[in-house]
Amino acid sequence: MTPRTTSSASGSDPNITAGETTAHQEKAAVPKQATAPEGTAAPAKAPAKSAAAKKATPKKGASEKAAAKKAVAKKAAAKKAAAKQPPVKATPKTRTTAEKAPAKKATAEKAVTKKATAKKATGTTATRATAPARKSAAARKATASERLTAAAKSASAKSTSAKKAAPAKRSAPVASTAAAASTAAARKAPPAKSTTEDVPATRATPKKTAAAKTAPAPAPTPVSSALGPADRGRLLTGAHHDPHAVLGAHPAADGGVIFRVFRPHALSVTVVAGDRRDELHDDGDGFFSALLPLAEVPEYRLSVAYRTSVQDTDDPYRFLPTLGDLDLHLIGEGRHEQLWRALGAEPMTHQGVTGTRFTVWAPNARGVSLAGGFNYWEGTGFPMRSLGGTGVWELFVPGIGEGELYKFEITRPDGSKTLRADPMARRTQAPPDTSSIVTASHHEWGDAQWLERRGEVPAHEALFSVYEVHLASWRPGLTYRQLADELPAYVKELGFTHVELMPVAEHPFGGSWGYQVTGFYAPTARLGTPDDFRYLVDALHRAGIGVLMDWVPAHFPRDDWALAEFDGRPLYEHADPLRAAHPDWGTLEFDFGRKEVRNFLVANAVYWCEEFHIDGLRVDAVASMLYLDYSREPGQWTPNEHGGRENLDAVAFLQEMNATVYRRAPGVVTIAEESTAWDGVTRATHHKGPSGFGGLGFGLKWNMGWMHDSLEYMSKEPVHRKYHHHEMTFSMVYAYSENYVLPISHDEVVHGKRSLVSKMPGDWWQQRADHRAYLGFMWAHPGKQLLFMGQEFAQGAEWSEAHGPDWWLLDPQYGAEADHRGVRDLVRDLNAVYRDTPALWQRDTHPEGFRWIVGDAAEDNVLAFLRHDATGTPLLAISNFSPVVRHDYRVGVPDEIPAWHESLNTDAHRYGGSDVTNPDPLKPEALPWHGHPASIRLTLPPLATVWLQPS
């Protein structure tokens, strides 16, 4: 009969167990030559006895019993003979551990027992075997023979005696099963042992025969080191959630240690443990494995051979997680205030090994892998593990340190892949390159004294004069460290107390000025490294200058390598497209209602304050966050749960951010760019206002209303200004509703709006005079002041990020240099008097610090008011916004001041003015005027502001 068709992998039918009975005892299967799995060592060429073993035998009865007895006797003799044979040596080419003596002995014993089993089965086989059956068996034998390796043939050739004793001998075990065979031999396992990967070989046993009565129990399932198809497939497709469970070293259930390595494109992998070196079996597709006869998992390294190099490294999959339960709990709760210490790339020493921990939040991903220069951007071989239900993926890679480029290769829910920069990257490549870079700080700070005293006085009651800077264009081409040599000295010379840096966080498009951020935790690499930026901040602090920074938590760009649909689904952005898309800038708005997103942003605010010693955050586009209908038409937005248009999630986020920053970073101030009448922007978060909301908790707010109104007034010809007089006085109606900053920012000198001096009407002399008068009015008005670079020397052209301020206007060789230098000298003197006069800053937020003298002189274009410090000491500011000199202009004053002197006059000759001044002290007359018991007479210069102080 034709032998039963069996599994090519196991050499037996997996559906028939050793204890089952065949349908017809007389048709029991003829034993088949075992087929070696691909890649295993194969037996030597079978001698003539192999064919003889398949000859027909006596049919039944006494002949069966005799054959069985004879088989038992031969089995004992064969074992005895095999024990005397020398160990079989494997050639160096075999990728096995068969060269070990125990494994050799097990191989010889196995061969002998297999011969006895074959004879037993032959004794019960029917004699009606046909020629086709023999042909089929021979064909299968030839197939197995074709897979023989040269190494196995050599080893078999050296064991002639063993072959005589076991003509039906199987191949020597491969590296992945050598230890299992050794263990089985040591335990005197049954002779009919399988070499299959997953299913043990089984044979049908004829019922009620003498051979069956003496047969031992079925062989136990051998331990396989190779991965099963399910895990293998998930790893190959980048969709495995726990690669550490199947890769690395793991104790085997029946003894020994299983080693598995996944290195695509590797030629070989060797485990090095002490003096022991074991080459793993190549399982194909970059998988390597072996079961080694070890009592426990050792300390080991991997030697990975590629075509042109050999890498000696620790195995990333032998390490425990680098994040603890507390970190994961805080991340899950959205309360990790130092999130950058848990997520991102962190160089560290873990379990005594130096490397870098990589972690990323991607809860919708089917799998995440790490790609970088260290693995030739082949992320498949570095899968990360998912830590619990937090959505965090983690991998510690030994031997990786600072300067390495990396990204995360994310398998989306639909199975597609995307390569993403690290949202928590603390260093990036300079655009247009987009990779993240492993980094650690080594900067030693020298600003301890500054940090100790910066919080002594609240910002709204302290000196606060701000110079706004776009670092990349202030001095084009300079790095952070080069700027540290020039910027502090320049700002200090002009007398500003703070600089405000336009967004420093990494952004791909320079034309956005930094307001479309992709690297929220990384200073832009255009100007240097993160430590270089720390050096700049440190230099400013040592010069006595505070550092504010624009921060953009409202939105982010749609770049497909950054945050947009980060893990295949809306993650950082809102899931509702109507809420996600920002209508003005083509960007995506953050989902402030998601706790992990809020945590990402709150921790980011803390990060800049703690890691870079930033003294304040000016939060951009707050109004766009607060209103659901911001720049949206009816039908394009959905009301909140109360039917209103307030974005309750954004309100909660801003409150949390402010409360956290003020708690963790004493002395820091937060500033809102908010252009609406939202109630309580600078009110404490626990104090509810008329609207029912607690305050947003900011320290200061940009006074956008004052800026628009006052610039509108100044843009008018003086003859028409009397019709717009209210635009200069209306700000005092609401001046104490919030803690204000008066901003002349970058937004007002670009995109066709013209520079500050160019907004003024008239000829060049009148423009400069108006410019100076306006600055004098601004510095005296309640509120802190901010001036954008280039406006301090009356640059006539709009600002451009491509070339920055027109510094050539201050070149002594330029004919009009004196005009521009005069304005800059005025700014310096404004700040000098401001510093020395508490009345100009101490009570900015208190109504008793201000009093109108002349607020209704619209026909004269004159404004006059008093400022008072905490002790009541006044400063009198008078602005004449007409080009007419007003002689003997009477102004009411308090009668307790015996005399006034001119402390600043914007029309002074040194500033480029006509030098109409009041050089002598001005004594009050007992003539009530403007509601005051006394008055003074003075000369008001044209288009100028004059400051008078008690003599």
Side-chain angles (χ1 to χ4, degrees), residues 363-381:
N364 299 312
R366 291 178 59 188
V368 180
S369 299
L370 183 67
F374 53 89
N375 62 8
Y376 307 99
W377 296 99
E378 173 59 74
T380 307

Side-chain angles (χ1 to χ4, degrees), residues 264-330:
H265 311 300
L267 301 180
S268 67
V269 177
T270 300
V271 171
V272 181
D275 295 331
R276 182 183 183 115
R277 296 180 64 90
D278 296 283
E279 186 174 340
L280 305 186
H281 175 250
D282 186 348
D283 298 329
D285 294 328
F287 293 94
F288 299 84
S289 66
L291 174 58
L292 302 183
L294 300 171
E296 59 183 11
V297 176
E299 293 289 331
Y300 69 95
R301 292 175 63 83
L302 299 177
S303 179
V304 185
Y306 295 94
R307 188 176 63 179
T308 59
S309 65
V310 177
Q311 294 182 356
D312 181 49
T313 180
D314 278 284
D315 186 358
Y317 298 94
R318 77 175 183 87
F319 294 96
L320 297 172
T322 54
L323 287 186
D325 291 341
L326 179 58
D327 283 318
L328 294 176
H329 171 74
L330 293 174

Side-chain angles (χ1 to χ4, degrees), residues 575-595:
D576 181 356
L578 293 178
R579 293 278 296 274
H582 198 292
D584 287 348
W585 304 311
T587 53
L588 296 170
E589 296 184 7
F590 281 103
D591 182 0
F592 301 111
R594 184 160 191 167
K595 58 186 177 182

Side-chain angles (χ1 to χ4, degrees), residues 182-202:
S182 175
T183 304
R187 297 179 182 178
K188 298 184 180 180
K193 179 151 178 136
S194 168
T195 59
T196 63
E197 189 172 297
D198 296 310
V199 182
T202 58

Side-chain angles (χ1 to χ4, degrees), residues 396-419:
F396 175 76
V397 182
I400 298 302
E402 296 179 50
E404 288 286 354
L405 305 182
Y406 72 98
K407 282 188 176 181
F408 295 115
E409 185 177 86
I410 296 175
T411 303
R412 300 183 178 104
D414 63 1
S416 62
K417 294 187 178 181
T418 178
L419 196 61

